[in-house]
Every structure is written in structure tokens, then in C-alpha cells.
């Protein structure tokens, strides 16, 4: 199909999947339980961090995390005592365990107290038309405190070749327009045109079938190639096509 036909097809799919009913089976439902900006972004970040594997398991374990944080993640992170962290014992989602969660809580407190919060850290290092340098810089800040080396694998670095799917997904949630009730649009220091598509096996396979992506590996170079293709379809909001690619792959087995 021509580029105009491809755009029309994908725009229809975006409209179909970028709807509130999308929340029913997606981890983004977790931050939708909150109204305070910091609660939304913290719950979204923690949920996105464990967003691999079975989606039902992701949602259940994200809900468990919110319970461990007294359903007030920002207040817990800013005001917890060392003894409060003992309740994390036994928490695990795949390779993310209680020790990782303890560090994430401590590091987020550090970021809000000393760096002005997550939005400020990401935004202060973003490129003109890409957020990948911002993700890499965020990881450096995130691991400023003493930490176990194993925990670093839970924050990807696109400048070291990673597709950084989960962080790109988190950033989509925070930055994109909230008009349909799916994404939040609460971060104003970053523009939607700077975002990258969360690339995973589903979106990658669909993108290749549609001629949007040729690279076989789902890595940082593939993200750049897909970004370039999607920006031709919509330079202002290229990541809206995540809904189309994901929906076609997961729900329609395209």
C-alpha cells in the first residue's frame, strides 16, 4: 500500500484502540487509580518497570506493589522509615524482587528530594527530537546511590543498544495527550514529538509486515528506524501508532 493508504489504515487502528476500554486489560490501569501527579507517575514507573511477561500477572503484581506502598506511593516514598521497607520481603515479579523494590523506593526519594522529580530529570537531558539521551541520563541519576549491580538491569539504557521498551512506554503514558482517557499528558516539559515507540515482539513484527521496520533485532537501532518511519506519518505525535501496532499484534494476531 502507499504511504497515504498506510497512514489511513493505521490512523483507523489508533482510533479503535486508543479508547478507555483499552485500560481493561492493560497495566496502564494501575496509575489510573490515582489523581495526584506524583502518585500517577510513581505508580506508572513502577508498573512499567515490571511490565514484561503475562499481562494479568503484571497487573496483579503492580496492584500488590501499590498495596505495599499503602496505596499512597508518593507519601510512602517521601516519608517511609527503614522498618517500613521490611514489608517488601517476599515480593517478586520474574527477576524483579524485594531488594530491587527497596532500592527503587530509596532512589525515587533521592530523585524527588534532590533532583526535582522524574519529569525534571528526563526533561533536562532530552534531545531536540529524541528522548533516548534523556533515558540514558535518567539511569545515571537513578543509580547514584549505593546499589546491587543486579538492580541496574531493570532500567534500560538505549545508548548501550537497548530498545528500552518499558521506559518508552512509561514516557508515552506521561506525555501523550489525555483526551481519550488512556494516556495522562501530565508531563509538560517533554513534547510528544520527542517520544519513541515502545518496541517489543508484537509491535516489531507488525511494523516489519507493514514495511515500517527492516531491522530484525528489537534494539536501539530498530527503535530509531521505526521512529523515522512513524514521524513521516505524524511528526507531531508519532507514538500514537503504538496503539495500532500493539493492537494489531496482540488482539488481531496480524
Amino acid at each position: 500500500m502507499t504511504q497515504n493508504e498506510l497512514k489511513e489504515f493505521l490512523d483507523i487502528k489508533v482510533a479503535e484502540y486508543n479508547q478507555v476500554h483499552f485500560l481493561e486489560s492493560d497495566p496502564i490501569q494501575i496509575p489510573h487509580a490515582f489523581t495526584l501527579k506524583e502518585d500517577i507517575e510513581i505508580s506508572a514507573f513502577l508498573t512499567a518497570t515490571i511490565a514484561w511477561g503475562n499481562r494479568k500477572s503484571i497487573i496483579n503484581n503492580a496492584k500488590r506493589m501499590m498495596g505495599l506502598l499503602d496505596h499512597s506511593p508518593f507519601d510512602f516514598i517521601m516519608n517511609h522509615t527503614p522498618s517500613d521497607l521490611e514489608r517488601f520481603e517476599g515480593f517478586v515479579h520474574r527477576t524483579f524482587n524485594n531488594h530491587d523494590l527497596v532500592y527503587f523506593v530509596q532512589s525515587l526519594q533521592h530523585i524527588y528530594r534532590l533532583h526535582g522529580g522524574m519529569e525534571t530529570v528526563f526533561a533536562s537531558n532530552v534531545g531536540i527530537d529524541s528522548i533516548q539521551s534523556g533515558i540514558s541520563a535518567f539511569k545515571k541519576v537513578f543509580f547514584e546511590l549505593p546499589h546491587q549491580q543486579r538492580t541496574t538491569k531493570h532500567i534500560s539504557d538505549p545508548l548501550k543498544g537497548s530498545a528500552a521498551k518499558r521506559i518508552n512506554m512509561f514516557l508515552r503514558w506521561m506525555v501523550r495527550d489525555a483526551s481519550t482517557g488512556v494516556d495522562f499528558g501530565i508531563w509538560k516539559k517533554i513534547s510528544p514529538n520527542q517520544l519513541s515507540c515502545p518496541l517489543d515482539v508484537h509491535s516489531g513484527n507488525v511494523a516489519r509486515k507493514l514495511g515500517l521496520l527492516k531491522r530484525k533485532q528489537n534494539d536501539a537501532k530498530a527503535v530509531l528506524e521505526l521512529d523515522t518511519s512513524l514521524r513521516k506519518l505524524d511528526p507531531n505525535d508519532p507514538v500514537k501508532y503504538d496503539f495500532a501496532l500493539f493492537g494489531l499484534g496482540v488482539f488481531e494476531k496480524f
Side-chain angles (χ1 to χ4, degrees):
M1 63 181 84
T2 67
Q3 182 158 304
N4 286 339
E5 290 171 336
L6 177 60
K7 175 176 170 56
E8 183 178 357
F9 170 68
L10 290 178
D11 283 343
I12 290 171
K13 292 301 176 182
V14 170
E16 180 179 345
Y17 290 111
N18 188 13
Q19 300 292 337
V20 172
H21 64 75
F22 185 82
L23 306 181
E24 296 171 4
S25 61
D26 195 83
I28 197 177
Q29 66 180 260
I30 301 300
H32 273 283
F34 301 98
T35 55
L36 182 71
K37 175 181 182 286
E38 291 82 3
D39 281 341
I40 292 170
E41 61 195 19
I42 290 168
S43 62
F45 178 68
L46 292 174
T47 298
T49 297
I50 65 166
W52 82 99
N54 178 275
R55 286 197 294 160
K56 188 173 182 180
S57 177
I58 294 165
I59 292 167
N60 287 339
N61 282 326
K63 287 180 178 178
R64 186 180 173 199
M65 274 198 294
M66 295 307 106
L68 292 170
L69 301 177
D70 295 330
H71 299 287
S72 299
F74 182 58
D75 180 67
F76 185 93
I77 280 168
M78 298 308 292
N79 300 303
H80 70 272
T81 64
S83 63
D84 289 329
L85 303 179
E86 295 174 3
R87 68 179 70 175
F88 296 168
E89 185 69 33
F91 178 84
V92 62
H93 176 84
R94 299 182 69 108
T95 64
F96 187 90
N97 64 22
N98 57 301
H99 300 292
D100 301 316
L101 184 54
V102 166
Y103 182 78
F104 269 58
V105 167
Q106 294 170 335
S107 181
L108 286 170
Q109 183 188 75
H110 175 72
I111 284 172
Y112 281 97
R113 284 184 173 175
L114 298 183
H115 292 282
M118 284 192 285
E119 180 182 9
T120 297
V121 175
F122 276 108
S124 61
N125 296 284
V126 71
I128 295 175
D129 60 353
S130 173
I131 200 163
Q132 300 310 295
S133 59
I135 295 174
S136 182
F138 175 81
K139 180 168 185 173
K140 290 186 177 69
V141 173
F142 195 82
F143 288 106
E144 284 180 344
L145 303 178
H147 58 274
Q148 294 183 23
Q149 184 60 31
R150 68 175 308 283
T151 303
T152 62
K153 67 185 174 185
H154 295 297
I155 304 288
S156 299
D157 187 347
L159 299 191
K160 293 185 178 180
S162 173
K165 177 254 181 178
R166 295 190 293 277
I167 295 187
N168 280 315
M169 180 179 70
F170 162 69
L171 292 167
R172 192 207 86 200
W173 293 355
M174 295 298 95
V175 175
R176 279 200 72 253
D177 184 272
S179 60
T180 66
V182 180
D183 293 324
F184 290 91
I186 57 174
W187 283 11
K188 307 301 183 183
K189 297 177 183 178
I190 300 170
S191 171
N193 66 16
Q194 295 171 305
L195 297 175
S196 289
C197 189
L199 178 62
D200 63 10
V201 63
H202 303 293
S203 57
N205 288 343
V206 173
R208 291 180 185 95
K209 289 178 181 178
L210 293 173
L212 295 167
L213 178 61
K214 293 181 180 179
R215 186 170 175 80
K216 294 180 180 179
Q217 301 98 312
N218 289 330
D219 57 9
K221 290 182 179 179
V223 171
L224 177 60
E225 182 184 343
L226 182 58
D227 282 351
T228 301
S229 295
L230 297 181
R231 280 173 169 77
K232 292 176 182 177
L233 300 178
D234 189 337
N236 296 318
D237 188 18
V239 180
K240 73 181 184 184
Y241 293 111
D242 180 35
F243 290 100
L245 300 178
F246 182 82
L248 284 165
V250 173
F251 301 119
E252 300 186 38
K253 311 301 180 187
F254 181 84

